[in-house]
């Protein structure tokens, strides 16, 4: 019977997949290239464990990263088992069409199918499949939620098995409440506190341990919040999302016998998308694999060779782990994913066998060659050379335009032509960019061309918080009777005018048939019980609005918005509100709003009114498309992971845009940027377009960036597959011989700023990082630089 099962697997998998799926006696690391059938391999391996090796489903743990993927994987495993049993019976068993059984509960589906094929195979297999519904295929958080439901009582805290889970909004509210009780509202924003606390929890830093890690005054404040927040959670018998990993790790450390129980249960552990695991997730897998022996290994300094020699008994008792991952697609380093876990995986499982899935079934050859060409420039990775299963001889089109608006217009025009002439749907097109702020010119033109679009895993431009904040200020300055805008901005940034005060003012306004603005304008005379400090804060807000309105008459909309964000210190507000990268992204969105406003040259209220009318029109057109089913898709490259499209545009391929400028100073971050480029290319099935602009508006200035190094790498490796369309106003680079005498990385001297290194070079300008931190990065005309040999 086993031979028949192996024959079935050979017929349904390629040789690499088959070898990986049938390796069940030792640990496995499956290096799966993009589109190489990793999920197919993983599901066949689970099915083989059950029907080929007769492992009880309840002894198998499979980890995925989304609930949708977990449910799909269960159904695929059962479908494979059903087909294997059909082959064993050597007859035509009626297979259930899962596509048509969408309304059937999965457990019912298993029971129904089991009854229909019960007579096919051996009694031992019947017993195994009766246990199928006990197969653990879940996300990390779902798995450890189940474990905590059984064993949280052993933590000796105030928790019991009836605990509830606070979602992100609930935990944010509790943190906000905690900040208020500690009288720290003027020192920290709840969102930033939540982000830091989450980071600590994912590194197993309980409040006591985090106290030794604080590095600045802000973290000292957050530590106080963390201590009280955690107590409030415990008092409420509630866990936040991060506790679902933190508390099992704590439980296993304190109660090795509990860890041993779960280790004994799970004989096989399979982890999908393993490259995205963070520190605590990886530690939990190690714990479940080794049980209480984990602590002996954890405290040893043995190399993998010595570990294998001196701890062979421990190794032999470990649960068999299978990791399936693509190190080329590890793009969450800044979010805590630890790629080094798997580059050094033999330190923990010395006998682990490495398999490579190197046949791509998704994309045409020119696309596969492009991603191979890009990723070879990274150093810290396993070597893989992906080969296409499909055939073709297409090329990659590279567009060069003058500005980002020209770039967007050209791409939208091409989408229209391809849809009209080649029978594509709008949903076949994906526009991928490095940061959210880059969506604005595309959204502007898509709206003006009346082409429906969707932002994947993100907000449309005018729905983003920072845009809504600034627009609310502009609307209120023009229309003081706009209560909705007033309520949004009166405490943004924080002025300690809390919601309770706003409610009192609204109630008074409603009773006396007044506008809310009338009430705050006369705050000294309104008989409402609020503190003198709050009254002063309201009066300062009124003074601010009057000042801004006085500035408006001599400024264009773009100038006024820039003045506004400086006056209210909105940049500082965002830095306090968000972690650094997110705050920077929000600021870039505001600068895109300023770029949009720069099209309106009339000064004063009339110019601002024209701009707001345009914003209202664009916003309304966005909303009218919600009922359409066919959209052009816009998304960041991070959001595109796990998706694939017939036609992909990768835009903004310029230095300082993609890759980001900060990556130039950090080799590790540059490798992550290159992996992002790899991921972007791998989303394309049939057609791949690359584009860049020679100039781009950023921070209200025109930037002239060099073409991305990723384009240069493609040009070096696959020039025969690139077809350029330079449709910019000036398609010739500078022939300045002085520029040619300098290169990135050159050490130079400036008469005033001293020595530094060139980190970027374009036309006659160099970006120099000076060694004196007082001067740091500066844009310098190269005529004033002396090269040091």
């Amino acid at each position: 019977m086993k031979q028949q099962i192996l024959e079935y697997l050979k017929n349904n998998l390629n040789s690499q997949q088959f070898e990986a799926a049938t390796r069940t006696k030792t640990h496995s690391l499956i290096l799966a290239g993009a589109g190489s059938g990793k999920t197919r391999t993983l599901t066949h391996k689970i099915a083989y464990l059950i029907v080929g090796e007769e492992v009880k489903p309840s002894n198998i743990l499979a980890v995925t990263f989304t609930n949708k993927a977990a449910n799909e994987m269960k159904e695929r495993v059962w479908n494979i088992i059903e087909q294997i049993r059909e082959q064993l019976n050597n007859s035509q068993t009626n297979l259930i069409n899962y596509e048509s059984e969408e309304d059937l509960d999965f457990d019912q589906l298993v029971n129904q199918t089991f009854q229909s094929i019960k007579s096919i195979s051996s009694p031992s297999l019947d017993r195994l499949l009766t246990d199928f519904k006990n197969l653990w295929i879940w996300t990390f958080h779902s798995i450890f939620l189940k474990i905590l439901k059984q064993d949280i009582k052993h933590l000796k805290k105030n928790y019991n098995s009836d605990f509830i889970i606070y979602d992100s909004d609930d935990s944010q509210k509790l943190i906000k409440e905690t900040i208020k009780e500690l009288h720290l509202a003027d020192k920290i924003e709840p969102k930033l506190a939540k982000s830091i606390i989450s980071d600590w929890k994912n590194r197993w830093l309980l409040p006591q341990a985090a106290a030794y890690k604080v590095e600045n005054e802000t973290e000292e404040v957050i530590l106080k919040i963390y201590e009280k927040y955690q107590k409030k959670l415990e008092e409420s018998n509630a866990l936040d999302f991060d506790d679902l990993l933190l508390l099992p790790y704590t439980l296993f450390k304190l109660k090795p016998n509990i860890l041993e129980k779960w280790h004994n249960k799970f004989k096989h552990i399979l982890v999908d998308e393993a490259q995205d695991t963070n520190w605590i997730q990886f530690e939990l897998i190690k714990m479940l694999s080794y049980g209480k022996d984990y602590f002996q290994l954890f405290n040893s300094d043995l190399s993998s060779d010595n570990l294998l020699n001196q701890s062979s008994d421990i190794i032999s008792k470990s649960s068999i782990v299978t990791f399936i991952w693509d190190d080329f697609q590890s793009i969450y380093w800044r979010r805590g994913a630890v790629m080094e876990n798997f580059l050094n995986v033999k330190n923990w499982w010395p006998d682990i066998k490495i398999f490579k899935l190197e046949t791509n079934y998704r994309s045409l050859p020119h696309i596969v060659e492009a991603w191979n060409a890009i990723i070879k420039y990274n150093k810290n990775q396993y070597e893989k050379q992906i080969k296409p299963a499909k055939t073709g001889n297409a090329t990659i089109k590279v567009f060069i335009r003058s500005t980002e608006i020209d770039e967007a217009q050209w791409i939208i025009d091409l989408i229209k032509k391809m849809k009209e002439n080649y029978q594509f749907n709008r949903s076949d097109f994906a526009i991928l960019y490095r940061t959210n702020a880059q969506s604005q010119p595309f959204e502007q033109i898509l709206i003006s061309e009346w082409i429906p679009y969707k932002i994947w895993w993100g907000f449309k431009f005018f729905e983003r918080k920072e845009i809504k904040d600034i627009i609310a200020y502009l609307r209120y300055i023009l229309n003081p009777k706009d209560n909705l805008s007033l309520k949004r901005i009166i405490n943004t940034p924080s002025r300690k005018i809390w919601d309770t005060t706003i409610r009192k003012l609204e109630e008074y306004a409603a009773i006396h048939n007044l506008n809310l603005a009338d009430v705050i304008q006369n705050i000294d005379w309104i008989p409402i019980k609020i503190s003198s400090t709050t009254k002063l804060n309201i009066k300062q807000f009124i003074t601010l609005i009057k000042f801004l309105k006085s500035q408006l008459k001599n400024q264009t909309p773009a100038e006024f918005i820039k003045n506004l964000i400086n006056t209210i210190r909105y940049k500082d507000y965002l830095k306090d509100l968000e972690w650094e990268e997110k705050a920077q992204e929000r600021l870039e969105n505001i600068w895109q709003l300023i770029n949009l406003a720069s099209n309106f040259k009339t000064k004063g209220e009339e110019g601002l009114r024209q701009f707001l009318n345009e914003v209202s029109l664009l916003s309304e057109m966005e909303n009218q498309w919600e009922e359409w089913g066919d959209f052009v898709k816009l998304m960041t490259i991070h959001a595109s992971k796990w998706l694939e499209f017939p036609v992909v545009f990768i835009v903004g391929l310029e230095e300082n845009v993609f890759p980001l400028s900060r990556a130039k100073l950090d080799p590790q971050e540059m490798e992550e940027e290159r992996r992002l480029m790899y991921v972007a290319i791998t989303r394309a099935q049939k057609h791949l377009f690359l584009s860049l602009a020679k100039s781009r508006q950023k921070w209200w200035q025109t930037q002239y960036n060099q073409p991305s190094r990723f384009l240069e790498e493609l040009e070096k490796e696959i020039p025969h597959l690139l077809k350029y369309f330079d449709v910019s106003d000036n398609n010739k680079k500078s022939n300045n011989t002085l520029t040619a005498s300098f290169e990135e990385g050159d050490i130079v001297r400036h008469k005033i700023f001293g020595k530094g290194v060139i980190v970027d070079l374009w036309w006659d300008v160099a970006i120099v990082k000076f060694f004196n931190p007082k001067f740091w990065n500066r844009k310098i005309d190269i005529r004033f630089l002396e090269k040091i040999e």
Side-chain angles (χ1 to χ4, degrees), residues 133 194 254 272 534 736:
K133 65 182 68 175
K194 184 176 183 294
L254 296 175
D272 192 15
T534 303
N736 191 314

Side-chain angles (χ1 to χ4, degrees), residues 650-668:
I650 306 174
V651 304
L653 278 169
E654 304 137 39
E655 291 290 292
N656 305 318
V657 178
F658 187 24
L660 298 175
S661 56
R662 65 166 184 250
K664 294 180 178 181
L665 306 177
D666 186 339
Q668 185 177 8

Side-chain angles (χ1 to χ4, degrees), residues 491-671:
N491 200 42
T492 303
S494 176
R495 299 181 179 92
K496 299 185 183 178
I497 305 172
W498 309 120
D499 291 344
T500 51
T501 300
I502 301 300
R503 281 196 295 271
K504 289 178 183 179
L505 296 173
E506 281 190 295
E507 288 169 5
Y508 184 89
I511 291 169
H512 294 86
N513 198 27
L514 295 171
N515 186 276
L516 183 58
D518 297 329
V519 175
I520 70 167
Q521 290 285 349
N522 297 282
I523 193 66
D524 279 333
W525 317 108
I526 299 295
I528 299 176
K529 193 174 181 181
I530 56 177
S531 70
S532 57
T533 302
T534 303
K535 281 188 178 182
L536 178 62
N537 293 339
I538 291 173
K539 287 192 284 187
Q540 288 175 344
F541 171 74
I542 295 168
T543 302
L544 167 70
I545 297 299
K546 288 179 179 177
F547 171 76
L548 288 169
K549 194 158 188 173
S550 70
Q551 298 284 300
L552 173 59
K553 59 185 177 183
N554 296 317
Q555 294 178 335
T556 65
E559 291 167 340
F560 183 69
I561 296 172
K562 188 179 181 185
N563 180 34
L564 167 66
I565 63 174
N566 289 332
T567 302
I568 66 175
R569 301 181 67 183
Y570 196 79
K571 184 176 180 180
D572 293 337
Y573 163 68
L574 288 179
K575 287 183 176 179
D576 291 338
L577 180 68
E578 305 275 14
W579 44 286
E580 181 183 356
E581 186 174 0
K582 187 65 177 176
Q584 186 72 13
E585 186 177 293
R586 291 192 186 277
L587 281 171
E588 288 182 5
N589 286 331
I590 292 172
W591 286 108
Q592 284 292 350
L593 183 69
I594 292 173
N595 290 341
L596 181 62
S598 65
N599 295 318
F600 297 83
K601 305 302 182 184
T602 305
K603 295 183 178 181
E605 291 190 10
E606 181 56 31
L608 188 58
R609 193 169 284 109
Q610 292 171 5
F611 170 64
L612 288 178
N613 288 341
E614 177 75 3
V615 168
S616 298
L617 179 63
L618 295 175
S619 300
E620 180 61 26
M621 291 170 77
E622 277 184 357
N623 297 330
Q624 286 184 24
W625 292 332
E626 286 305 311
E627 296 181 3
W628 292 40
D630 191 19
F631 302 89
V632 173
K633 298 180 177 73
L634 278 68
M635 66 195 76
T636 64
I637 297 167
H638 279 103
S640 73
K641 197 175 179 189
W642 301 303
L643 302 175
E644 53 192 64
F645 310 94
V647 186
V648 167
F649 296 88
I650 306 174
V651 304
L653 278 169
E654 304 137 39
E655 291 290 292
N656 305 318
V657 178
F658 187 24
L660 298 175
S661 56
R662 65 166 184 250
K664 294 180 178 181
L665 306 177
D666 186 339
Q668 185 177 8
E669 190 160 358
M670 183 57 74
E671 292 214 344

Side-chain angles (χ1 to χ4, degrees), residues 8 44 47 72-86 95-99 106 109-110 113 117 132:
Y8 168 85
H44 277 78
E72 289 175 353
M73 193 176 293
K74 286 177 191 174
E75 294 195 19
R76 289 178 70 170
V77 170
W78 182 258
N79 200 20
I80 293 164
I81 291 172
E82 184 184 355
Q83 292 174 31
I84 290 174
R85 296 188 66 167
E86 176 191 1
L95 297 181
I96 288 181
N97 184 342
Y98 291 96
E99 312 267 356
F106 182 69
L109 185 65
V110 171
T113 309
I117 60 176
F132 185 84

